[in-house]
Amino acid sequence: GGFDVTMRILPQASKGQVPSLEKLGFTPSFIRMIRAATERRRGAIYVCGPVGGGKTTLLYALLYRAKEQRDRYVVTVEDPPEYEQYGITRIPVEKIGYENLEKKLLRMGVHWAMVGEVREKKMGRMVKVLSSTGQKVLTTTHVLSVNQIIDRLTGEEIGIPRQSLCDTNMIAGLAYTCLVPKLCPHCSVPAATPGAVSERVVEQLQRLEIPLESVRTANNNGCSHCKGGRLGRQPVVELVIPDEEYMRLMRAGLDGDAKDYWLGSCISHVTDEDVTGKPMMATALYWVSQGTMDVADLEREIDTLESYTPRVTRATLQERGV
């Protein structure tokens, strides 16, 4: 009886410019680690997350180079292309077709290729070939955890052989990103205010060793600066920089063991911004501890507080002498 229209609005500060990782709100440790992975000569960067979670924006921010640094031939392969950015050749898939893309990209002598999404065998094969022949590939896929990415890529729909994919020369980084509402700094309410949060939340914050005094909650009436006590959104992330042991476990199909190995690399408390070995729940709790995320938004977008048990506690840090 009518039409459905999907429209994505992508604000840009000016034509050809994507906000920096810093302006997008990523923490210093995440920026440092993912930039190091991006600068590695070999290995693809795979980013996952929900629809509208900021995956493509993150990849474009990683691609950005100032004019004097544009010594790389960079192309994007998207359906359709989303951002305009100076110094990048944009290739719309519908103009060329999947069958011709792989051959054309190899002949073009591309240094970096950003592939909008890997969702079928043809795109999976192209990403594999580009990665194995020395091109730097940045791409996305739809799963809801970094530890599900390899299973998705090696499953029936995409079909990249696990033995060839699970090599540190093939994968430089596995990242997850989603966007959660950010509290308005002008009208947010201290969680210690009587009645601001429930007794359950107070108990869980105590269990997680997050000081109630540092937590804030939304003023749902809002103010002149915001809508309903929220002002913008902030990224919640996971990041795996795979080493030989992680890849060995993945090659053997021991995905659960690989996840435990990664979680075991955590070296900091949830109130620390370091993302090493931290699942999305831990990086969201960091924002809660900074008073910029409402617990209600965290539980709606990610999971309940009860679902998470930290690997590193203050007692653990004391034992390590940290």
Side-chain angles (χ1 to χ4, degrees), residues 176-187:
Y176 166 94
T177 181
C178 73
L179 297 172
V180 177
K182 186 176 183 179
L183 287 174
C184 174
H186 304 283
C187 67

Side-chain angles (χ1 to χ4, degrees), residues 85-155:
Q85 190 171 134
Y86 293 123
I88 291 179
T89 300
R90 302 193 303 162
I91 302 177
V93 174
E94 69 271 17
K95 298 291 185 181
I96 296 179
Y98 289 118
E99 294 78 7
N100 298 317
L101 272 174
E102 181 185 315
K103 186 184 298 183
K104 286 184 179 292
L105 288 174
L106 290 173
R107 285 179 174 174
M108 289 165 70
V110 171
H111 294 114
W112 284 23
M114 196 278 270
V115 179
E117 182 186 349
V118 179
R119 58 175 173 259
E120 58 185 37
K121 291 183 184 294
K122 293 174 183 177
M123 294 298 282
R125 171 185 161 79
M126 185 180 75
V127 167
K128 173 182 173 292
V129 169
L130 290 174
S131 298
S132 61
T133 52
Q135 283 82 2
K136 191 72 179 183
V137 178
L138 289 77
T139 187
T140 72
T141 189
H142 278 292
V143 291
L144 295 178
S145 169
V146 288
N147 292 287
Q148 297 174 4
I149 293 176
I150 289 178
D151 188 56
R152 165 74 170 153
L153 296 173
T154 58

Side-chain angles (χ1 to χ4, degrees), residues 40-270:
R40 281 182 53 189
R41 178 65 185 84
R42 298 182 183 278
I45 305 289
Y46 293 92
V47 179
C48 68
V51 175
K55 300 184 295 296
T56 302
T57 303
L58 169 58
L59 293 187
Y60 267 100
L62 290 171
L63 288 176
Y64 176 76
R65 291 292 181 277
K67 289 183 179 180
E68 62 273 12
Q69 295 175 325
R70 288 175 190 162
D71 56 348
R72 298 165 178 161
Y73 184 18
V74 181
V75 302
T76 67
V77 179
E78 298 178 88
D79 185 17
E82 294 187 2
Y83 286 103
E84 289 187 44
Q85 190 171 134
Y86 293 123
I88 291 179
T89 300
R90 302 193 303 162
I91 302 177
V93 174
E94 69 271 17
K95 298 291 185 181
I96 296 179
Y98 289 118
E99 294 78 7
N100 298 317
L101 272 174
E102 181 185 315
K103 186 184 298 183
K104 286 184 179 292
L105 288 174
L106 290 173
R107 285 179 174 174
M108 289 165 70
V110 171
H111 294 114
W112 284 23
M114 196 278 270
V115 179
E117 182 186 349
V118 179
R119 58 175 173 259
E120 58 185 37
K121 291 183 184 294
K122 293 174 183 177
M123 294 298 282
R125 171 185 161 79
M126 185 180 75
V127 167
K128 173 182 173 292
V129 169
L130 290 174
S131 298
S132 61
T133 52
Q135 283 82 2
K136 191 72 179 183
V137 178
L138 289 77
T139 187
T140 72
T141 189
H142 278 292
V143 291
L144 295 178
S145 169
V146 288
N147 292 287
Q148 297 174 4
I149 293 176
I150 289 178
D151 188 56
R152 165 74 170 153
L153 296 173
T154 58
E156 284 189 16
E157 290 184 349
I158 299 174
I160 302 175
R162 186 175 280 258
Q163 292 299 311
S164 61
L165 177 66
C166 295
D167 186 289
T168 52
N169 286 322
M170 291 290 286
I171 298 178
L174 304 169
Y176 166 94
T177 181
C178 73
L179 297 172
V180 177
K182 186 176 183 179
L183 287 174
C184 174
H186 304 283
C187 67
S188 63
V189 179
T193 303
V197 295
S198 68
E199 290 185 8
R200 177 189 70 84
V201 169
V202 172
E203 290 174 359
Q204 289 302 313
L205 291 173
Q206 289 174 344
R207 180 182 68 85
L208 296 164
E209 302 177 319
I210 298 175
L212 186 63
E213 303 76 43
S214 66
V215 179
R216 301 184 73 84
T217 188
N219 173 7
N220 291 321
N221 293 322
C223 66
S224 60
H225 299 278
C226 69
K227 183 177 181 180
R230 281 81 174 177
L231 189 61
R233 297 184 293 172
Q234 56 194 344
V236 170
V237 301
E238 292 179 344
L239 179 62
V240 172
I241 305 300
D243 60 11
E244 291 291 348
E245 179 62 12
Y246 185 89
M247 289 286 90
R248 183 190 70 79
L249 292 168
M250 280 295 189
R251 276 196 305 275
L254 302 173
D255 295 17
D257 291 345
K259 179 180 178 180
D260 285 341
Y261 173 75
W262 169 64
L263 291 171
S265 68
C266 181
I267 56 174
S268 61
H269 193 260
V270 292

Side-chain angles (χ1 to χ4, degrees), residues 23-27 53 177-184 230-237 283-284 286-294 297-298 301-302:
K23 288 185 177 179
L24 290 170
F26 292 101
T27 61
T177 181
C178 73
L179 297 172
V180 177
K182 186 176 183 179
L183 287 174
C184 174
R230 281 81 174 177
L231 189 61
R233 297 184 293 172
Q234 56 194 344
V236 170
V237 301
T283 60
Y286 167 72
W287 293 126
V288 169
S289 75
Q290 299 301 298
T292 63
M293 182 181 293
D294 194 313
D297 293 329
L298 179 152
E301 300 290 341
I302 300 176

